[in-house]
Amino acid sequence: MLVADAHVDVLMKLAEGRVAFLEDSPDLRANYHSLREGGVATQVFALYVDPSLDSYTQLAVVLRQIDAFYQQIAVLADVRAVRSREDLRVARQQGQMVAILSLEGGGCLRGSVEILRILYRLGVRGVGLTWNDANELADGCGELRGAGLTRAGRDVLREMQHLSMWIDLAHLHDAGVRDVLRLTDGPVMASHANARAVHPHRRNLTDDVIREIIRRDGWMGLTFQPSFVGRDPVSIDDVFRHLDHVLDLGGHRHVGFGSDFDGTSADIPGLAASRDYRAFAERLCDRYGQDLAQDFLFGNFEAFLMRQLPSTSPL
């Protein structure tokens, strides 16, 4: 079955020179071979930088990661860097794996819509305004102050909508999530988050937010970070508990997966690398049937991309 994964932290490791994308190494859980073995047809590659670094350094690291994306991933003949719906259609026609860039934490933007526009022209199509900490745009979920979006954050949000970039709620403080939902009326998404009603972690989403994602025709990706899934020991069945809860809220067409491979602090047995999607797909089919399983694994995110991506790429 085809798979779409909305979040891996591969680029962080590639830019550091720890491992190469074509190297089938356990140090890179979502390397080329693992993705292919897992049937991954769409992969979103996150640009993550340690938010404790100053904003100039963060921007430099993000640019190095973008360079690694184009030098090691997008250069491959059976991979296409997708920036638009037209790119997506061509990739499907040619049987290429779709590769998309997203920004995890907007500290590198320094509150600047100009830098956002430059990153957009380099292929970035989604933005999470924060990681866990506060920055010039908003407070993250780990910031005790618990504020929402700043004036600069609102400017960036407005420009993201103008550019048809997706708004990623992952890592944002609840107050910031409320601001995003108040200031926008279009689709929103969460690339890697679970249901707080199932497991009360600050990184998970409340039922009200999940319902709003569904109402707006957005999308959420359940993640395999064990601490977001449940109490130890965590199993695949615990992931299914989150999926079942989202389905109970009406999310049959708005849920999928954002594994967080290469960014997790521990592994769920049977969900440690992209190649594990193949066996995971069989379990999904057994539990939900083939049609729904394919929607969860691939179809729902594909439909979201066709709604959210710009029709054509900028010059």
Side-chain angles (χ1 to χ4, degrees), residues 119-195:
L119 294 183
Y120 175 80
R121 288 187 173 273
L122 292 175
V124 177
R125 287 298 175 267
V127 175
L129 297 178
T130 69
W131 194 63
N132 293 341
D133 305 320
N135 59 26
E136 293 93 340
L137 307 179
D139 280 5
C141 63
E143 175 57 57
L144 297 179
R145 174 180 54 185
L149 271 61
T150 64
R151 182 178 299 176
R154 297 178 185 209
D155 290 343
V156 165
L157 181 67
R158 191 178 303 113
E159 187 65 14
M160 286 172 60
Q161 288 188 285
H162 174 70
L163 294 171
S164 194
M165 301 176 83
W166 69 67
I167 303 161
D168 190 349
L169 302 178
H171 289 284
L172 192 59
H173 193 280
D174 287 349
V177 172
R178 290 193 293 270
D179 279 350
V180 169
L181 297 179
R182 180 173 55 84
L183 295 168
T184 68
D185 57 8
V188 292
M189 64 94 82
S191 60
H192 57 309
N194 295 331

Side-chain angles (χ1 to χ4, degrees), residues 274-311:
S274 299
R275 55 173 45 92
D276 294 334
Y277 269 120
R278 189 168 298 279
F280 182 59
E282 294 178 3
R283 293 196 57 174
L284 282 169
C285 287
D286 290 343
R287 186 179 178 99
Y288 302 100
Q290 184 168 343
D291 290 344
L292 274 180
Q294 185 64 103
D295 285 342
F296 302 154
L297 285 167
F298 177 77
N300 290 346
F301 191 59
E302 184 84 349
F304 173 77
L305 291 177
M306 290 303 293
R307 293 191 296 270
Q308 184 65 53
L309 288 171
S311 58

Side-chain angles (χ1 to χ4, degrees), residues 4-6 190-194 219-224 239 243 246-247 251-259 277 280 284 293-301:
D5 186 323
S191 60
H192 57 309
N194 295 331
W219 184 88
M220 70 176 292
L222 302 180
T223 187
F224 306 149
V239 176
L243 179 53
V246 175
L247 299 182
H252 294 72
R253 296 290 177 261
H254 304 92
V255 66
F257 301 100
S259 66
Y277 269 120
F280 182 59
L284 282 169
Q294 185 64 103
D295 285 342
F296 302 154
L297 285 167
F298 177 77
N300 290 346
F301 191 59

Side-chain angles (χ1 to χ4, degrees), residues 32 35 82 116 185 203 212 222 233 250 267 279 297 303 314:
Y32 172 83
L35 289 165
V82 164
L116 177 73
D185 57 8
R203 274 278 285 104
E212 189 65 13
L222 302 180
D267 299 330
L297 285 167

Side-chain angles (χ1 to χ4, degrees), residues 234-270:
V234 177
S235 71
I236 289 176
D237 287 334
D238 293 305
V239 176
F240 290 152
R241 290 174 58 223
H242 289 272
L243 179 53
D244 289 341
H245 185 76
V246 175
L247 299 182
D248 287 342
L249 296 176
H252 294 72
R253 296 290 177 261
H254 304 92
V255 66
F257 301 100
S259 66
D260 205 12
F261 289 140
D262 293 298
T264 57
S265 60
D267 299 330
I268 297 175

Side-chain angles (χ1 to χ4, degrees), residues 82-99:
V82 164
R83 303 180 176 202
S84 67
R85 295 196 296 272
E86 181 58 29
D87 288 341
L88 183 59
R89 293 188 191 98
V90 171
R92 297 299 174 227
Q93 291 169 359
Q94 298 186 3
Q96 295 170 299
M97 184 175 75
V98 166

Side-chain angles (χ1 to χ4, degrees), residues 7-52:
H7 190 93
V8 294
D9 283 308
V10 166
L11 298 178
M12 172 179 64
K13 293 182 178 180
L14 296 187
E16 292 172 354
R18 289 196 251 167
V19 67
F21 186 62
L22 286 177
E23 180 182 351
D24 194 6
S25 167
D27 292 332
L28 195 65
R29 306 301 182 89
N31 63 62
Y32 172 83
H33 304 281
S34 186
L35 289 165
R36 281 307 192 190
E37 288 177 31
V40 177
T42 298
Q43 183 61 68
V44 179
F45 292 89
L47 299 159
Y48 167 76
V49 182
D50 183 347
S52 67

